[in-house]
Amino acid sequence: MATHAVRVLEGITPDTIPFDDLFALNEPVILKGLVKNWPLVKQGTLSPDTLLNTLAEADSGNPLLVYKGAPDIAGRFGYNQTCTGFNYVTEKSRLADVLSQIASQMDQDKHDYLYVNSLRFDQGLPELSAQNTLQFTHPEFNNNQPVPKIWIGTESVAAAHFDQPKNIACCVLGKRRFTLFAPEQVENLYPGPLSPTPGGQVVTVANLADPDFNKYPKLKTALDNAYIADLAPGDGLYYPSMWWHEVEAMDRFNVMVNFWWMTAKPFWGNPMDTLLHGMLSLREKPDSEKAAWLALFNYYVFGDASQVTAHLPPECHGPLAPMNEVSARRMRAMLLNNLNR
C-alpha cells in the first residue's frame, strides 16, 4: 500500500497551534507532543490504572451510551452481514461501570469490546475537561468555540467515515492509528447505507485491514492514496472537514479527546439535507438533464458568488445576496412551502 506521508510539526503547545498554517495546508497534520503536559496524559504515563481511577472518580453518574461487542468482532465495530443492523449492541450505563468492566478484563486475552462514543467532555467530566484543553483564540473561533468530546474504551476500530466539522484529535492513552482519505476518494471507499449508520455518519463496508479487492476493487486506489498517522499519548492530529478517516485504538485501555468545530454559520443549514433532496429530485433524471442541473449547481452554488449578481441591480438580488439570518429564514420558509405542495 503506497501512502502519503503526514506532515509532522514539532514543538507545538496548546497555546501555540499554528491555525493559519493548518488551514492553508488543507490536509492532515500531526502535532507531535501537543498535549504531553496534560494532567490526564501524565497520569496515563504513570499507569493506565491511575488514569482509569481518575476518570471513574470524576464520573457524574449520568447514564451514557456504550457500544458493546462480543469477543468475535475483534474490536471492529460495524455492520452485520446484511447492513441492516450492527455487530454490536448499545446499552445505557454509567461511566464508572464501564471502566470497572474494562478493568476486570484487563488481563484477559478473550474479552468484550467496550466503546464510549463521543461523550461531551465538558458535560460528562467538566472538571477534567477544564484541566485538559486547548487554546482557541484564532478569529475562526470568535463565534464558534470547539466542542470537546472524549472517547474511552478497549481496543476498537471505527470504520472509515467523514465528519462535517474540522477536528483536532488528542491521544491521551494508548496508541492510535488514523487512516485518512481526501474527500474525493468517496467513490473508492464503498460507503454503507445512509440508514442505519453506527454513529450518525455513513461508514465504509470494506475492511481496510484485510481488503477484499475482488469484492471492492476500487479500494486499492483509496489505499494507495491514504494518509497514515500513528499517534502516541500526548500527540495531536489536525484534519480538515469532510476527510474520511478510520481510527484504530490499539491498546486494552484507550482514551482520546477530540475538539470539533464548524466554520459554517448555524443558519446556513445542513448540507446533508441538500444531498438527500438532490437524491429525491435529481437522481432519476436522464443524464442530459443531470448535466444541465450540474451546470446550474456549478453556477449558483459552487462557483464565484459575485459573478451571479454582477450584472443585476442590488434591489433584486434576493436569495442570491450574501446569506444572513433573516434571508435564511425566508429561504427556509420558501423551501418548506415548496416541499409541502
Side-chain angles (χ1 to χ4, degrees):
M1 180 173 69
T3 60
H4 295 285
V6 177
R7 191 185 303 261
V8 179
L9 297 183
E10 304 270 2
I12 308 299
T13 59
D15 58 347
T16 63
I17 300 171
F19 286 109
D20 283 328
D21 294 337
L22 297 180
F23 300 157
L25 287 169
N26 196 38
E27 64 182 41
V29 179
I30 295 173
L31 306 172
K32 193 67 182 174
L34 173 67
V35 295
K36 64 183 180 182
N37 291 320
W38 273 8
L40 287 181
V41 174
K42 289 184 174 181
Q43 289 182 10
T45 301
L46 293 175
S47 80
D49 288 341
T50 301
L51 178 54
L52 188 149
N53 291 332
T54 296
L55 293 170
E57 289 171 2
D59 178 21
S60 65
N62 295 324
L64 50 79
L65 197 65
V66 57
Y67 293 3
K68 185 174 182 180
D72 60 2
I73 76 167
R76 183 171 291 276
F77 290 84
Y79 288 107
N80 59 20
Q81 290 298 315
T82 60
C83 293
T84 56
F86 308 113
N87 65 352
Y88 60 89
V89 297
T90 57
E91 300 176 350
K92 285 284 190 178
S93 182
R94 294 172 59 248
L95 178 59
D97 294 334
V98 176
L99 293 168
S100 178
Q101 291 180 64
I102 293 174
S104 69
Q105 303 181 80
M106 197 74 80
D107 299 321
Q108 298 177 12
D109 291 333
K110 188 175 182 180
H111 63 91
D112 294 325
Y113 293 93
L114 302 170
Y115 183 35
V116 174
N117 178 2
S118 192
L119 173 66
R120 276 287 298 255
F121 195 18
D122 55 347
Q123 294 177 358
L125 301 160
E127 185 174 341
L128 296 181
S129 177
Q131 297 168 358
N132 300 269
T133 190
L134 304 176
Q135 297 298 312
F136 295 97
T137 56
H138 187 276
E140 178 156 304
F141 308 109
N142 285 347
N143 300 308
N144 198 2
Q145 281 294 302
V147 176
K149 301 282 187 78
I150 189 167
W151 311 70
I152 302 168
T154 61
E155 307 97 314
S156 65
V157 177
H161 61 285
F162 69 88
D163 298 311
Q164 291 188 48
K166 297 178 181 179
N167 185 23
I168 294 179
C170 300
C171 187
V172 174
L173 179 71
K175 295 184 177 68
R176 285 189 184 256
R177 167 168 287 188
F178 282 71
T179 305
L180 303 108
F181 305 89
E184 59 265 23
Q185 291 298 322
V186 56
E187 65 179 285
N188 301 320
L189 286 169
Y190 297 91
L194 293 177
S195 180
T197 60
Q201 284 287 16
V202 175
V203 306
T204 181
V205 296
N207 185 339
L208 304 190
D210 185 21
D212 183 345
F213 294 131
N214 290 322
K215 191 173 183 180
Y216 307 117
K218 292 182 179 181
L219 185 61
K220 186 177 188 307
T221 300
L223 292 173
D224 285 343
N225 289 278
Y227 291 70
I228 306 296
D230 288 318
L231 304 184
D235 292 342
L237 174 69
Y238 166 79
Y239 53 91
S241 167
M242 304 299 288
W243 275 65
W244 289 74
H245 51 285
E246 179 159 293
V247 188
E248 181 180 3
M250 299 180 177
D251 292 1
R252 180 57 52 87
F253 179 39
N254 302 271
V255 180
M256 177 177 68
V257 174
N258 281 351
F259 294 87
W260 278 337
W261 70 95
M262 298 281 283
T263 55
K265 294 180 173 62
F267 60 80
W268 285 353
N270 186 347
M272 279 302 297
D273 295 338
T274 307
L275 180 63
L276 290 172
H277 193 205
M279 292 169 62
L280 171 68
S281 60
L282 294 172
R283 188 173 58 183
E284 305 302 327
K285 287 187 176 294
D287 289 345
S288 60
E289 293 186 28
K290 286 183 181 179
W293 280 105
L294 178 60
L296 282 176
F297 269 77
N298 284 335
Y299 181 70
Y300 284 108
V301 179
F302 301 115
D304 181 355
S306 64
Q307 176 188 349
V308 176
T309 56
H311 59 288
L312 296 173
E315 294 81 3
C316 71
H317 286 184
L320 301 177
M323 196 70 60
N324 57 42
E325 289 193 55
V326 174
S327 60
R329 282 199 299 269
R330 289 173 179 164
M331 186 175 290
R332 192 170 290 110
M334 182 172 66
L335 284 170
L336 287 171
N337 183 61
N338 291 342
L339 288 171
N340 288 328
R341 287 178 181 174

